[in-house]
Amino acid sequence: MAGEEDDGFIVRVRGLPWSASTDEIFNFFKDCNIVGGTEGIHFTFSRDGRPSGEAYIEMESDEDCETAVKKHNQHMGKRYIEVFRSKTIEMNWVVKRAGTNQGPAAGDGVVRLRGLPFGCSKEEIAQFFTGM
């Protein structure tokens, strides 16, 4: 059906260990063909940049999606992994909203500051970090 092809061959996984890497997920789904290898695995992150324990994976075919779904409730380490069919539009929306698979290594960093004096200015904070 044309409508199914527009949905893509996407699976959503939930319950991943927070420390899971793309290589570990790739090995977990070794019986499936993932588009672009590890490039087809898209983690999501919480607002504070921490892993959410979920990811979307682009599969090459419907058969690969079916094989992936058969891994529903299998274990990765001590965690059982839930695997669901999904759609490209859902994956794009969630990944855009909840972060990308680049994670903290993307080069952008965030430093949260606490206990600053009430009258502290942006310039004073910038000066504090000068030379680091």
Side-chain angles (χ1 to χ4, degrees):
M1 297 176 82
E4 286 182 22
E5 290 175 7
D6 295 338
D7 290 343
F9 305 116
I10 310 295
V11 293
R12 177 177 147 218
V13 293
R14 185 168 64 188
L16 294 168
W18 290 333
S19 63
S21 68
T22 53
D23 289 332
E24 290 172 317
I25 294 172
F26 187 80
N27 289 333
F28 184 78
F29 290 103
K30 63 184 173 228
D31 300 334
C32 306
N33 297 310
I34 299 173
V35 174
T38 57
E39 295 296 316
I41 301 170
H42 308 280
F43 287 103
T44 61
F45 297 89
S46 65
R47 287 185 202 163
D48 59 358
R50 294 183 180 150
S52 67
E54 294 188 15
Y56 287 85
I57 304 172
E58 298 178 79
M59 299 293 176
E60 291 187 1
S61 69
D62 190 52
E63 292 79 26
D64 292 319
C65 286
E66 292 301 318
T67 303
V69 170
K70 289 178 184 172
K71 292 196 170 270
H72 182 68
N73 286 334
Q74 289 187 15
H75 285 77
M76 178 185 283
K78 295 180 180 179
R79 304 286 308 248
Y80 71 90
I81 307 302
E82 298 175 278
V83 184
F84 309 97
R85 293 289 303 244
S86 188
K87 299 179 181 181
T88 303
I89 194 164
E90 176 187 343
M91 177 188 72
N92 291 338
W93 186 83
V94 171
V95 168
K96 181 180 177 184
R97 184 172 175 267
T100 65
N101 64 347
Q102 296 174 353
D108 293 338
V110 174
V111 177
R112 292 184 180 216
L113 303 174
R114 294 177 51 180
L116 294 173
F118 183 75
C120 188
S121 69
K122 292 179 187 177
E123 292 78 20
E124 290 172 314
I125 295 170
Q127 182 182 2
F128 177 81
F129 285 107
T130 301
M132 289 190 175

